[in-house]
Every structure is written in structure tokens, then in C-alpha cells.
Amino acid sequence: MSPARLAAIVLSTVALAFCCSAQAATPSAKKNFNVCWSIYAGWMPWGYAESHGILERWAHKYGITIHAKQVNDYIQSVNQYTSGGVDGCAMTNMDALTLPASSGVDSTALIVGDYSNGNDGIVLRNAKRLSDIKGRKVNLVQFSVSEYLLARALSLNGMTERDISTENTSDANITGLFSGNSSDALVTWNPQLSTVAEMKDANVVFTSKQIPGEILDLMVVNTDTLKQNPDFGRALVGAWYEVMGKIAKHDKDALSAMAADAGTDLSGFQHQLDNTHLYTTPKDALTLYHSKQLLKTMQSIAQFSFDHGLLGEAALSADTIGIQTPQGTFGDPDNVQLRFDPSFTEQYLESSQ
């Protein structure tokens, strides 16, 4: 385990212990909640829901308040959630397992928003084939799904991670490194991917379109908080699908607002959405929740995470952490720390019919 990851886990553990101690001294029912998100095509709806009063209205319906705050650094947003600083966070399926779940934070995938269908990619300078990555230093956000994408790409093309080296780079800084000629290989996601792809001598040589359905984008919430305050989950789901309805109807004003927040124009944002398989309706999301493929995907993610030492030094196997889905549980049933719960989406669907 790297010193950086060890330090992050220690800080999260200390903060988590403080948070839990504070919560134990207060009533279980809450009225005020916070979630966070970072810039990514599939998560821009959270910013729109916050700025246009949609989240406020759904929260008010249940007599609570919810704020969705933007965090510029993705891993920092997940760390804030893991340490108890917020009640929910937009993150990927792998990061939900390797960061909060592996740190002992029982977490629920409340909303499955999309899967990356080209929104994550590998970019090389002056090279058009992935095989040209051999011997290069690759900039990426370590311990994130970018590592998973890179490993899958190398494996599918007869290479291993021994053929390259990696350097941890914040998603907020990665485009600047490439434009400044400080990097000739990187892994990133949109909107950074689209920005880098337009630079001189840049070529996208592999994307998540080649591994469809493996990189899932979620709204993850604290399981105990959700159990004690189910209206928190109902309000989040209601707000989410209201915005999804606008996207499904190609609402120009809504899409333009999200585009501006993402630092692009309507055309550029639509390009990002074209590389995002959004589950715009509850029925679409529930099909995934109840699929055997979800369980299979999470099993593969767990194996990858264990093989790369991302489940912590105490993990003796890939099934150390229990992952619960409607189709069954992978891993230790007595140590379930990540749950895919379709019940709130099902409630929303029933109430909207």
C-alpha cells in the first residue's frame, strides 16, 4: 500500500470515528442533509437540481433540507463522504467499494444514474495505437476507476501494468499537464477527456465504450442515515428523475445550463451525453438493479480491487467485503458494506404511475 493511500485511510478513519461519536450523542432523525458531486457529464444533473430549486422543492415536500455541493477534486469528494462530512456523494461503483466500503462505511447505491459508454478514455500524444503506451508514464487519478480502465485496456491488448508506469494526478490538473507538454499519456473522463482530445497531437486510443456497463456512476449514501431518514432517499430520487425527464425531452434550457456548468457549450455537452448511457427512467434503472449482470460486474470489480491492493491490507481475498444486490450477495454476508437498493426507485415509479 502506498504512503499516500495509507495516509488517506488513516485520516478517513480518524474523521469517521469522530463523526460516529458525534452522531451517537444526537437523535437519529435529521432534518438537514448534504450530498456532493464533481464535474462529470452524468453528474451535472445534481448541480442543475441544486441551482434551479428542484432539489429544494423535493426536500421541502418531505419537510427536510438537502444541499448538493460541487467539489472540484473527485477523490476529495469521495473522501468527504467517507469521513462523514456529507451524507451522500456521486461516485463510481469501483470507488464506492474501494474507498468508503473498504473503510467500513456501510454505503447504499441509492441511484444508478448511468454507465460510461465512452466518457472515460486513454489519450496518447503522437500515437494512434494503444500498444504505443509501452514504456510511457501515464497520468491518472490513482485509486479511481481510471486505474481499472487502464488495466482492462492493457489486458485486452496483451499487455500488463508492468509495461507502463503511473503518476497520481488530480482530475482538476490533468488537462493542464497535457497542454503544457508535461504528459504524453493519460487516463481521464469527460469533460477533461473531450478537452484533451482536441489538443494538438492528442489521440484517444481506448475508451469505456469498449467495456460497456462496467463503469457505473452512482449516488451513494450512508446506509444508516438512509435507514433512519428514508425521506432523504425519497427526495433525492424524486429530484433526480425530474431532471432526467428534462434530459429525455431534450430540454434546451436545462441542457444549456448543465453545459455551462461543465465548461462547454450545448453541442459539446451533447457530445458528452452521447458517450453516457443514462438510465433516464426508473424502469431502465430497475432493469439494471435486478440483472444478474450487476452482480457479475461487481464481482469482477472486487477481484480487480483485491488484486491491486485497493481493499486494504486486512483483506485476505476478493470476497472480504459483502456486496449486496437484488440478485444475491457477493462476498462476506456478515460484512456487507455496499448495497444496491432498488426500493426507493421502485417507490418513486409506483407513486408516479
Side-chain angles (χ1 to χ4, degrees):
M1 181 180 295
S2 73
R5 180 168 177 79
L6 180 59
I9 291 175
V10 170
L11 286 173
S12 292
T13 301
V14 171
L16 180 61
F18 174 81
C19 173
C20 292
S21 176
Q23 287 180 350
T26 60
S28 61
K30 291 179 59 173
K31 291 293 184 181
N32 304 308
F33 302 87
N34 292 285
V35 299
C36 63
W37 59 281
S38 54
I39 296 292
Y40 167 69
W43 295 331
M44 302 315 298
W46 290 116
Y48 180 83
E50 171 75 18
S51 62
H52 286 71
I54 295 173
L55 188 57
E56 180 182 16
R57 179 159 33 81
W58 276 92
H60 180 74
K61 176 181 178 180
Y62 294 103
I64 59 177
T65 64
I66 304 175
H67 291 293
K69 66 175 184 176
Q70 178 189 336
V71 178
N72 289 332
D73 185 290
Y74 168 61
I75 290 298
Q76 180 58 34
S77 73
V78 182
N79 285 340
Q80 284 190 30
Y81 167 76
T82 303
S83 65
V86 292
D87 304 293
C89 180
M91 66 185 80
T92 71
N93 51 336
M94 189 189 102
D95 299 326
L97 175 65
T98 62
L99 291 168
S102 69
S103 297
V105 180
D106 194 329
S107 299
T108 295
L110 177 72
I111 297 170
V112 179
D114 70 87
Y115 70 75
S116 177
N117 197 32
N119 263 328
D120 295 74
I122 301 172
V123 181
L124 300 182
R125 190 190 303 277
N126 294 320
K128 295 184 177 181
R129 300 176 303 173
L130 181 66
S131 58
D132 293 320
I133 201 172
K134 280 190 175 182
R136 297 196 186 196
K137 179 183 69 178
V138 183
N139 293 93
L140 48 69
V141 178
Q142 284 184 342
F143 317 127
S144 79
V145 76
S146 288
E147 279 199 289
Y148 177 77
L149 180 76
L150 176 60
R152 289 286 281 123
L154 293 171
S155 176
L156 289 171
N157 288 271
M159 293 179 283
T160 72
E161 290 159 280
R162 291 189 295 273
D163 292 311
I164 52 92
S165 61
T166 61
E167 181 173 304
N168 185 34
T169 308
S170 167
D171 51 307
N173 299 328
I174 206 160
T175 57
L177 279 179
F178 200 89
S179 64
N181 295 316
S182 297
S183 173
D184 63 2
L186 59 83
V187 188
T188 190
W189 53 80
N190 274 323
Q192 293 91 333
L193 178 62
S194 294
T195 300
V196 173
E198 294 175 356
M199 295 180 184
K200 182 181 179 181
D201 301 324
N203 291 290
V204 180
V205 295
F206 188 92
T207 75
S208 53
K209 192 181 291 287
Q210 290 159 268
I211 52 170
E214 296 187 28
I215 300 177
L216 298 172
D217 299 305
L218 319 167
M219 170 52 72
V220 173
V221 300
N222 183 282
T223 299
D224 290 338
T225 300
L226 184 64
K227 286 181 179 179
Q228 295 165 3
N229 308 275
D231 285 343
F232 170 51
R234 296 184 184 109
L236 284 175
V237 169
W240 176 260
Y241 283 111
E242 181 172 334
V243 180
M244 287 299 101
K246 292 180 180 294
I247 292 177
K249 293 177 181 178
H250 305 287
D251 185 311
K252 186 175 180 180
D253 290 340
L255 292 173
S256 295
M258 287 182 243
D261 288 343
T264 186
D265 56 17
L266 182 58
S267 176
F269 187 61
Q270 187 58 58
H271 173 71
Q272 294 176 29
L273 290 181
D274 290 342
N275 291 305
T276 310
H277 184 93
L278 278 169
Y279 296 104
T280 54
T281 70
K283 286 184 178 180
D284 289 341
L286 289 171
T287 296
L288 174 66
Y289 266 118
H290 290 284
S291 70
K292 292 182 179 179
Q293 185 58 45
L294 175 60
L295 183 59
K296 182 180 179 181
T297 295
M298 291 311 301
Q299 182 173 346
S300 297
I301 292 288
Q303 187 62 58
F304 170 86
S305 300
F306 173 72
D307 291 342
H308 288 73
L310 300 178
L311 297 183
E313 292 182 342
L316 301 179
S317 66
D319 57 5
T320 295
I321 299 171
I323 305 170
Q324 186 181 81
T325 80
Q327 288 293 324
T329 298
F330 171 75
D332 186 351
D334 296 323
N335 187 38
V336 173
Q337 299 291 343
L338 181 58
R339 306 163 193 270
F340 286 81
D341 182 0
S343 65
F344 288 84
T345 301
E346 290 168 343
Q347 291 173 26
Y348 174 83
L349 180 59
E350 290 174 4
S351 67
S352 62
Q353 290 180 336

